[in-house]
Amino acid sequence: MTGRRTATLRFRVTAAATVAVLAVLGAAATALVLAQRATLTDQLDETLVDRAVAVAGGPPADPARSEDVVITVSPGADGTGTSIADGTMPDGSPARVVSRPAGGSTVVVTGSLEDVQDSVAALRNALLVAVPVTTAVLAVLVWVLAGRVLRPVERIRAEVDRISAGRLDRRVPEPAGAGEIARLAHTMNAMLGRLAGAAERQRRFVADAAHELRTPLARIRTQLEVDRAHPGTADPAATGTAVLAETERLQRLVDDLLLLARSDAEVGGLRDAGPVDLDDVVGEQVRGRPLVDGRAVVPVQVVGDRAQLARAVANLLDNAVRHARERVTVSLAEADGVAVLTVADDGPGIPAAARESVFERFTRLDDARSSDEGGAGLGLAIARDIAVRHGGSLELAGDREPGARFVLTLPRHDDDGARPRRGRAPS
């Protein structure tokens, strides 16, 4: 099917070029024939006029007749000037007739158009052969050239046809030069590189998600199997509490995975976007958390989804509390038309080499740490994703030692008609 499409394109290009050449050559041939007819007719008219002038200006002569020209002198003047018109020879063949007054008589010179018609017919017959032959030769040349031009496209198609989901490392051949086909091949290879990267990230994401889901499921199964194997020593209340805790952990993990999946599919947009009092959101998340000092918070309003912003702030605070030794400092300010939320802890800090990797999914700086202590490694990835979808950013500042300082920046809501609002510092 694809081969037929390539042949059809080649045929269409050849057919279009052939029709265009045939139309141009046909129009040129017609114009040439008409031009020759007009030129030869004008030359015949000039010759006949010269003969008429010679006869009219000379002594009276008897009418003369030859095979091509007939000269007659009739009494009476017909008009005051020389006239030229179409006519016929005595044998009925087409001719040109020149009439010129001469004293009291009229000189009429009739010239045959036979030579003109023969010359025009010879040229027409030659063009009727030359135009089709030339068109056919050009059609063959276009067919061959189109095949050579489309040959790299066919190689690219054949290579793409061999690429499968498991062989995204393959690349299409790139022709030499900087032509359109070379750029097409380069663009396709770049696309294949992006697809390979996306497929690798997807495989890693699925593997990491399966690993994270397997851990709480294994714990639940282990506890239930132990109680079943030793019913005499089983503690249903303790088992229920442990299973409930693991189930809640599973639910949080599934919610995080669903949020990331919707974000990747670009369906988790700002469905409930509107003015949000970011200081109120921060106050709600700070309240009740140990070690957190949220007194440096000023009223700032942004545009976004309140639930998603609360999720981002909660993830930043959870991360800070998890790593802090004694204190977590939260500040919210306004600068240059943006809201700047800073969450800093006095923990061990983050190495410079890992300042970007901490925002990747399922990233834990200490692989030996248990999942209970370190979480699933999705909190910061989700927080950055929410910030980006709100038109902001989330970065790890590099000027704090020891500890880590995360800076969340969001566009401020600018409404000149809004009533000034008194904010309250979170407790």
Side-chain angles (χ1 to χ4, degrees), residues 45-355:
D45 291 343
E46 291 178 0
T47 300
L48 297 178
V49 169
D50 292 341
R51 297 285 293 275
V53 170
V55 172
D62 294 333
R65 177 179 298 178
S66 66
E67 184 178 354
D68 298 329
V69 178
V70 176
I71 302 175
T72 61
V73 179
S74 60
D78 185 11
T80 59
T82 303
S83 63
I84 304 175
D86 290 327
T88 58
M89 296 294 289
D91 59 359
S93 62
R96 297 287 285 177
V97 179
V98 175
S99 301
R100 182 179 178 84
S105 304
T106 300
V107 177
V108 179
V109 181
T110 304
S112 175
L113 286 172
E114 184 178 357
D115 291 341
V116 173
Q117 291 178 338
D118 290 343
S119 298
V120 172
L123 177 61
R124 183 179 61 248
N125 294 335
L127 292 176
L128 287 176
V129 175
V131 169
V133 171
T134 303
T135 303
V137 172
L138 289 176
V140 173
L141 291 177
V142 172
W143 177 267
V144 174
L145 292 176
R148 293 188 60 183
V149 171
L150 293 176
R151 194 174 303 148
V153 177
E154 176 60 22
R155 289 198 294 265
I156 293 174
R157 183 210 61 80
E159 183 62 28
V160 171
D161 189 56
R162 288 192 289 267
I163 296 175
S164 62
R167 294 300 308 275
L168 291 178
D169 58 322
R170 298 179 68 103
R171 295 295 181 267
V172 301
E174 296 188 17
E180 290 79 0
I181 297 179
R183 293 197 299 270
L184 173 63
H186 180 75
T187 301
M188 293 188 67
N189 284 334
M191 177 193 68
L192 289 172
R194 292 192 296 271
L195 290 176
E200 177 60 27
R201 289 191 298 272
Q202 182 182 19
R203 285 193 292 267
R204 187 168 62 249
F205 178 81
V206 172
D208 292 338
H211 175 74
E212 295 295 334
L213 291 172
R214 183 176 58 185
T215 300
L217 288 174
R219 291 176 179 173
I220 292 174
R221 179 177 179 179
T222 299
Q223 292 173 351
L224 294 177
E225 287 180 346
V226 169
D227 286 357
R228 183 178 180 180
H230 306 282
T233 60
D235 186 351
T239 301
T241 300
V243 170
L244 180 60
E246 295 295 340
T247 303
E248 292 175 349
R249 172 177 168 76
L250 276 174
Q251 182 178 0
R252 289 194 301 270
L253 181 56
V254 170
D255 290 341
D256 289 345
L257 294 175
L258 180 60
L259 177 61
L260 291 173
R262 287 178 175 175
S263 175
D264 290 342
E266 296 183 355
V267 298
L270 307 180
R271 299 178 180 177
D272 300 321
V276 177
D277 297 334
L278 187 58
D279 53 305
D280 287 347
V281 174
V282 174
E284 293 171 359
Q285 297 300 321
V286 167
R287 190 175 299 111
R289 292 181 185 268
L291 309 180
V292 180
D293 179 6
R295 289 173 294 181
V297 175
V298 300
V300 179
Q301 195 173 63
V302 299
V303 177
D305 188 319
R306 184 183 181 91
Q308 293 188 20
L309 292 174
R311 181 66 175 275
V313 174
N315 288 357
L316 291 175
L317 293 176
D318 288 341
N319 178 77
V321 170
R322 185 180 299 118
H323 297 93
R325 292 190 178 96
E326 298 179 355
R327 185 178 181 181
V328 174
T329 303
V330 179
S331 65
L332 177 61
E334 178 185 342
D336 299 329
V338 296
V340 181
L341 173 66
T342 303
V343 178
D345 63 73
D346 59 352
I350 298 176
R355 293 189 182 278

